[in-house]
Amino acid sequence: MPKYKPSDDGTVVGGKVVVYMHGPQSTALLDRSAKAAVAKATAAMLASAAKRGAPLCEECERARRELEGKRG
């Protein structure tokens, strides 16, 4: 049995606003939204690391060091 009912939508419980979601379609929208937020944050982190020249993994760091060694 669900904890909240449609009539609970917009009420405040424990200092938080209840947003009643109807059925699996709503859950799918939340999943897509969460995935999009993670993808956006990941892209921002990768772009920031690239601007600073920060290594993203051990393999990248090893390749950077090898290239640096060849340059002198």
Side-chain angles (χ1 to χ4, degrees):
M1 184 163 130
K3 187 174 182 177
Y4 299 104
K5 305 177 298 274
S7 61
D8 294 326
D9 188 49
T11 61
V12 177
V13 177
K16 297 182 180 179
V17 177
V18 174
V19 178
Y20 187 81
M21 305 298 286
H22 305 275
Q25 280 184 325
S26 299
T27 305
L29 291 174
L30 287 175
D31 290 344
R32 280 185 285 188
S33 178
K35 286 178 184 177
V38 169
K40 187 175 181 178
T42 301
M45 181 273 306
L46 290 172
S48 176
K51 285 180 184 176
R52 293 189 325 268
L56 302 175
C57 65
E58 291 179 25
E59 194 173 318
C60 297
E61 177 62 8
R62 185 174 33 255
R64 185 193 65 78
R65 287 184 182 174
E66 286 176 12
L67 184 61
E68 194 174 80
K70 288 179 183 178
R71 289 182 183 164

